[in-house]
Amino acid sequence: MNYFKQRRAYRNFKMYEASVSNGQNNLYRELLDYANDEGKLDVQFRMKNSALLSLTGLSEPGLDKARNSLVQLGLIKYVRGKKNVKPPEYRIINLYSRSAGYPTSNPTTSHKSRSAGLDEVGQPVGQGGGQPVEHKELTSTDPDLTDTDSYDDDAGVTREQVINDWTNLWGFPNGIARPEIDEWLEEFKPEVIAYAIWVAGEHQIGSNACLKYVRAIVAGWKKRNITTLEQAKKAAANHDDRMKSERKPSGYSKPRRKEVTPKWMQNGTSQADYKPSSGNDQQDDMSDEAFLAFMNSQEEAK
């Protein structure tokens, strides 16, 4: 089985044949990538529930539901395991060798698209032979489908791609980040949010600050009524230029001493009782624009 052909066939399956939830998609992609990495695309393989729970972020009931759905959709075969004895068995069903046709396929092909059950798909068993592709955490994207250096193809960015981009940089979004991402996607087009994530990645923002950083970018765009990718790119370029000009020395002047009131005096507590805030707490107290400036200054000091 060819890994990339299977990926494209799976994408077409989601677009034209059936609705696939995020949980189902994450589970299928983990199974597909593992089978490819281990050279088991054409044979059955075992995978522990604990590993899938960790990789997909699903709960046990969620894993059971997603797995059953993939079986019903004709995407995988599944054999129950025995607890603490042997893990469940899986097998990826070949999608691209079916006779289904899609609007994006060769114009000379006019086969009617159809859903396929487990018994309708040919499953030749042969030697394992995974395609040489680097395994990304949780989900990844085809290099020939998306260009990570730019987002010029606006129509090519989907909500799923936004989650994939976040996952590839910082891991699957947790219960705090995911609702915010969903809110952003309600207000902006996916390509705009994808670009905000890309900007954070270009500035080498770590997972501990990524949500705050992207939130600051989106809040700034919202404040300036920026709604398109072109406007977002221009705003990001202007921001970088402004930060560079502010850091550029404009001539020597004797530094003036600034009296700083200690934090413990500002809070009305004694010095003995005062406990300094952690770096993360201080960052949380910053405004969005101040946080962006702070992170950019940290990057410049590296």
Side-chain angles (χ1 to χ4, degrees):
M1 185 187 303
N2 183 289
Y3 174 79
F4 290 109
K5 287 184 179 180
Q6 182 73 3
R7 284 280 304 276
R8 293 187 182 94
Y10 173 61
R11 182 189 61 177
N12 287 334
F13 178 87
K14 292 188 296 180
M15 292 176 63
Y16 304 117
E17 290 200 38
S19 297
V20 179
S21 69
N22 284 330
Q24 295 164 12
N25 177 71
N26 293 337
L27 176 58
Y28 180 78
R29 290 293 300 278
E30 278 302 328
L31 293 172
L32 178 63
D33 288 351
Y34 175 80
N36 178 68
D37 292 346
E38 299 299 317
K40 297 180 179 179
L41 284 170
D42 295 305
V43 297
Q44 290 190 174
F45 58 91
R46 298 184 185 278
M47 198 166 185
K48 296 192 297 185
N49 286 340
S50 58
L52 289 173
L53 290 173
S54 175
L55 290 167
T56 61
L58 293 168
S59 62
E60 289 191 17
L63 175 62
D64 290 338
K65 185 176 180 180
R67 183 167 48 205
N68 290 337
S69 296
L70 294 181
V71 172
Q72 294 298 321
L73 289 169
L75 296 173
I76 65 170
K77 269 195 169 186
Y78 165 67
V79 179
R80 294 178 63 88
K82 187 174 293 186
K83 190 173 183 180
N84 299 326
V85 177
K86 64 177 182 178
E89 293 184 7
Y90 298 90
R91 183 170 178 175
I92 303 297
I93 294 178
N94 190 314
L95 297 178
Y96 62 84
S97 63
R98 302 182 307 167
S99 59
Y102 304 100
T104 56
S105 59
N106 192 311
T108 60
T109 303
S110 58
H111 298 296
K112 184 178 180 181
S113 174
R114 63 180 177 84
S115 299
L118 293 178
D119 297 333
E120 296 176 298
V121 182
Q123 303 167 41
V125 178
Q127 297 296 325
Q131 309 298 317
V133 57
E134 180 183 357
H135 177 67
K136 296 293 183 73
E137 181 183 357
L138 188 61
T139 54
S140 59
T141 55
D142 284 350
D144 57 343
L145 296 180
T146 56
D147 180 4
T148 57
D149 292 331
S150 66
Y151 286 90
D152 292 332
D153 185 8
D154 297 357
V157 181
T158 64
R159 296 174 71 95
E160 178 189 350
Q161 179 65 52
V162 171
I163 301 301
N164 287 348
D165 289 348
W166 185 287
T167 299
N168 290 334
L169 285 171
W170 307 300
F172 193 74
N174 59 27
I176 299 176
R178 184 55 191 268
E180 285 206 48
I181 297 174
D182 290 337
E183 289 181 10
W184 299 337
L185 289 170
E186 291 298 324
E187 298 184 62
F188 294 89
K189 293 181 179 179
E191 62 265 19
V192 176
I193 302 304
Y195 182 68
I197 294 171
W198 180 80
V199 169
E202 284 293 290
H203 285 82
Q204 299 180 351
I205 303 302
S207 59
N208 62 325
C210 61
L211 178 59
K212 178 77 173 176
Y213 195 90
V214 178
R215 180 193 295 153
I217 295 175
V218 173
W221 291 349
K222 185 176 180 181
K223 183 178 180 181
R224 295 166 177 79
N225 294 320
I226 292 172
T227 58
T228 68
L229 180 59
E230 183 178 356
Q231 291 172 337
K233 286 183 176 181
K234 185 176 181 180
N238 290 340
H239 173 78
D240 288 342
D241 291 341
R242 187 170 63 254
M243 293 302 300
K244 290 178 182 178
S245 64
E246 289 177 357
R247 288 191 291 264
K248 186 180 299 183
S250 57
Y252 176 80
S253 60
K254 185 177 180 180
R256 298 175 60 186
R257 181 176 178 180
K258 181 179 180 181
E259 296 293 338
V260 179
T261 304
K263 284 282 187 180
W264 60 270
M265 290 182 62
Q266 297 175 13
N267 296 336
T269 59
S270 68
Q271 185 173 8
D273 294 335
Y274 174 72
K275 295 181 180 180
S277 301
S278 66
N280 288 338
D281 291 337
Q282 293 173 1
Q283 293 177 14
D284 289 339
D285 292 337
M286 295 181 180
S287 67
D288 290 334
E289 292 188 359
F291 180 79
L292 277 177
F294 169 76
M295 293 303 294
N296 287 336
S297 65
Q298 293 291 97
E299 178 191 356
E300 186 71 15
K302 291 180 180 178

